[in-house]
Amino acid sequence: MRVAATAWAGLQGLPLPTLCPVVVPGLYCQDQAHAERWAMTSEASSGSHCARSRMLRRRAQEEDSTVLINVSPPGAENRGPYGSTAHTSEPGGQQAAACRAGAGSPAKPRIADFVLVWEEDLKLDWQQNSASRDRTDTHRTWRETFLDNLRAAGLHVDQHNVQDGNTTVHYALLSASWAVLCYYAEDLRLKLPLQELPNQASNWSAELLAWLGIPNVLLEVVPDVPPEYYSCQFRVNKLPRFLGSDNQDTFFTSTKRHQILFEILAKTPYGHEKKNLLGIHQLLAEGVLSAAFPLHDGPFKTPPEGPQAPHLNQRQVLYQHWARWGKWNKYQPLDHVRRYFGEKVALYFAWLGFYTGWLLPAAVVGTLVFLVGCFLVFSDIPTQELCGSKDSFEMCPLCLDCPFWLLSSACALAQAGRLFDHGGTVFFSLFMALWAVLLLEYWKRKSATLAYRWDCSDYEDIEERPRPQFAASAPMTAPNPITGEDEPYFPERSRARRMLAGSVVIVVMVAVVVMCLVSIILYRAIMAIVVSRSGNTLLAAWASRIASLTGSVVNLIFILILSKIYVSLAHVLTRWEMHRTQTKFEDAFTLKVFIFQFVNFYSSPIYIAFFKGRFVGYPGNYHTLFGVRNEECAAGGCLIELAQELLVIMVGKQVINNMQEVLIPKLKGWWQKFRLCSKKRKAGASPGASQERWEEDYELVPCEGLFDEYLEMVLQFGFVTIFVAACPLAPLFALLNNWVEIRLDARKFVCEYRRPVAERAQDIGIWFHILAGITHLAVTSNAFLLAFSSDFLPRAYYQWTRAHDLRGFVNFTLARAPPSFSAAHNRTCRYRAFRDDDGHYSQTYWNLLAIRLAFVIVFEHVVFSIGRLLDLLVPDIPESVEIKVKREYYLAKQALAENEALFGTNGAKDEQHQGSELSPHWTPFRVPKASQLRQ
């Protein structure tokens, strides 16, 4: 909360609003007649339905000892209770209940803010057995009880039924009156605007190009730019001081309305609380409701007048200037995204755009390094020696019954390996390590700026409330250490025990991944043997590469299957751990899934990079795994195999994900439309008949959140940084993918998804800490890759000790088979190792080992030292933002001091006076808390 704005709101000595005591505590009518005229929501339904609703409500009250708080003032029995479905005899009762004095213009009838949908198959009613029929009746009772409780909470419920053949689709349109919105806005601590400010959106690249006088092709003027505000938590008794309070239609934005209604839906019970019969999430999980979603603002397609139409809705603006493929080279309108989808979605797209922009220099440098490797292929002396060796180097068999083979047959592999393994790779590894550090440092600045501009800097500490599922299941209450309010509480020791048990499950799943990795290793070894025995000289030379490539494809299939299984398991474990807020719940779930996915996706590349070919042995004394000889690196080295593995997993996963993101929403949307349209045709409706907005939105695909989107990008970040020494082209492939990903995700949210409930967020959550951990791991990983998997250090050692021009380097890297092995086969052969004729490690091996370890230590210390220096030089919060924050705190102190001196005494009297004027017989309805439900 911006403290200066909050204090400013308490300074003005304006008369208090006179509002009707329908829902809002502390609101007053101008006379008693206003209190006599209040009436609540009604439903356009038959009298029999009303009678059934009352019967179900009585049944629910008998089942649960908790009775919803009665909000009926004395003498109101004849007018209908709060939330009843009976029609009021006096027209305009809903407007009479509005807060008259606080707003100048009354609210006009408006389309619903939220929609509940369920389908009933009429044909199955007489075909079901008794158990299924009882389940159907139970679901029907739960729905009716839930809708009754929503009415009691002050929501207007308007039902529309669409008969589609043998199926009836029920739409419950929910909306809230002005008084209900005011009450829950204060209860939920929503922030609303006090003073408008000029839009402070900025982009460093736009500023740089403007300073240089270069035209900016990325810049585009987007209409209807959302203004910025000083805002504070809403208080009903300060209503006139908020901007726009004189217009009830526009004071609460659509996203604020959605948040209020969703909070009510999440906390409203539909049965006995001890059975966890609470909230919209459980109803959807049980299949009682088919869908629950807020409505889009309208169609996304441009009206006939064209994109210059003066009254484009927010969805059309986003489609025209953001979600179209033709806007791939334009800045994202993040303020528009935030206004329509909320801070959480906007922060994701801000991170994705920021990360993609930073990939551009990495892709340019990586492409240049790759091109340098292309030129070195034809001028590298060791590669020329290998390709021209003909029959000079006869290599030992790759398996027990495999034939001897010539090193010259692996010329193409050696040339391919040279593309990635040269001196430029060392520079690129150092560059990418510092790139990752700077990326995170500048993202912290960007995130802090967005959090300040979007007024969510203190959301997690102060504003975020306990999850409804946590509140319903928590065994006790305890005061919040920050706000001082009593909140549901779960003992930390009990949570720690549950998290420990969950970690055991994670270890078991990681063990399953390791078992799959071992099976892949055995598969590659057996496949290499099978191909080597084929009798084809060309296939025998490529046996290791064929086995590695097919093993990578099998590994990718295992990865995708295990990912689906573990995500479902992680959901169950995280719910069981009882995390208080949605942010903590998502962080715990994210950490579980990422640990598993990290092992799942990176286990095979880690094995190739650091273990393959290290424990092979030597001719006559080969090491085995389950009776199968251990794998060894091909002639081109393990680095080219690692590059191949990365390209298969990274690029393959990106292609599969993009195909899924394109095809699956379209197929789901097509199936939903086909299913509903076929039912309408059976019912006799014309296919071209116009649809209501809620019917159109129901045909869209449910939004599944941002977890999969974040996970895809973070795993990609790992491939780009952890193994970048093996594949300099990884940033280029990531950049190309992300250019598509931004518009693909934007199109999904605008055109193909039902509108998600706008959620607030302070930052990208635990994903940032995961990215920081990957950055530190990348430094160590690349240091070991360059030291132990690359030929960079052996080449440098050979240049220093033997020949500067590297002539004879191929012979230097090959050892001779022991005499016993040569005598058994009546021929000698060579193999890649630094060993003497008896198979023992030579002095060169130990010298190189010392050099390699020293290189790792020096590389890590240099990179970490430079990274730490950059961390100190680049402040986490921009200086301009720090000045604004300090200015606000200064104004807050002044405002609070003046308020205490001028209005402190009178303010206390005013509060006491407000309380005395409340009707002693009226109590505002609140969705019952967990402690109340258990009484």
Side-chain angles (χ1 to χ4, degrees), residues 651-665:
V651 179
K653 181 177 182 297
Q654 289 178 350
V655 171
I656 291 174
N657 284 347
N658 287 337
M659 290 177 62
Q660 288 178 339
E661 292 183 17
V662 171
L663 295 179
I664 290 180

Side-chain angles (χ1 to χ4, degrees), residues 35 74 130 178 238 375 460 580 607 625-626 677 724 732 882 885:
S130 58
W178 167 255
K238 310 296 182 185
F375 287 110
E460 294 179 10
R580 173 181 168 270
Y607 162 74
L625 178 65
F626 300 116
C677 290
V724 72
L732 177 62
E882 285 187 336
V885 171

